[in-house]
Amino acid sequence: SGDGEYIVSGGEDDLVLKCDANTGELLVKMVHGWCLWCVAINNKGDILFLGGNNGAINISFAGTGGLLLSMKIENKSSGVLFISYNETTKFICAGYANGKMRLWESNRGEILKSFDAHHDEVRSVAINSNATMVYLGGADYKTKVRDVNSGEFLRELEDHN
């Protein structure tokens, strides 16, 4: 969590675990129902953003696992590999196995932007604090920087290959 109090993890066992970051004590264990590939948590540690192999992003209460919102593009699902949450704008930036990047508005579950980010999997995403740029790491070992509003490619950082 943003305050450093909690660590949240998910896995192929369909479980979400919330632990105390200082002691490692298990605080909450939730059964999620599908294979999780990525988890993000808000600054207060009470809201989870969960993505996985079914292509959905679920927003849930961290204490109970109660579902607040589920977001998915029907008939176009590709697994969600990475999620980044921007506390200021309430945007969720998600990277998908099919190379797409989508920017979601977390209160209404609407897609704000969607574009092809890489030719292969998007394995990491980050959004700057004022939500003007996204940083996208791909399976092609490249990191790309794009303008959020236009989707315009700004630059490519040196690859890790």
Side-chain angles (χ1 to χ4, degrees):
S1 59
D3 60 8
E5 295 294 316
Y6 306 107
I7 297 171
V8 177
S9 64
E12 293 186 4
D13 58 2
D14 300 345
L15 294 177
V16 178
L17 307 176
K18 180 180 174 184
C19 299
D20 183 291
N22 298 309
T23 66
E25 177 188 358
L26 178 63
L27 302 172
V28 179
K29 182 177 185 178
M30 299 174 274
V31 176
H32 186 60
W34 40 271
C35 175
L36 289 172
W37 289 343
C38 55
V39 177
I41 188 169
N42 70 340
N43 285 344
K44 292 192 297 187
D46 59 348
I47 304 294
L48 301 177
F49 307 90
L50 309 166
N53 66 345
N54 74 346
I57 298 172
N58 284 357
I59 303 175
S60 300
F61 288 110
T64 65
L67 183 66
L68 292 168
L69 184 64
S70 185
M71 305 176 301
K72 184 176 180 180
I73 300 173
E74 295 304 319
N75 301 324
K76 294 186 179 182
S77 66
S78 177
V80 181
L81 297 178
F82 203 94
I83 294 175
S84 178
Y85 177 68
N86 183 299
E87 193 80 33
T88 304
T89 62
K90 309 297 186 220
F91 293 165
I92 299 167
C93 187
Y96 292 80
N98 63 1
K100 297 272 188 199
M101 187 286 317
R102 292 190 180 95
L103 187 68
W104 296 82
E105 196 283 330
S106 65
N107 292 325
R108 296 184 311 272
E110 295 177 4
I111 295 175
L112 301 173
K113 300 287 178 180
S114 178
F115 48 82
D116 293 323
H118 284 273
H119 296 292
D120 204 342
E121 298 173 344
V122 177
R123 294 196 175 164
S124 64
V125 296
I127 186 167
N128 68 342
S129 61
N130 60 358
T132 58
M133 290 188 291
V134 291
Y135 311 90
L136 307 151
D140 58 3
Y141 303 104
K142 298 179 187 318
T143 301
K144 297 180 179 184
V145 182
R146 301 198 68 159
D147 180 278
V148 170
N149 293 319
S150 68
E152 177 185 355
F153 171 78
L154 299 175
R155 66 187 146 280
E156 186 175 288
L157 307 178
E158 186 172 330
D159 68 42
H160 292 273
N161 194 4

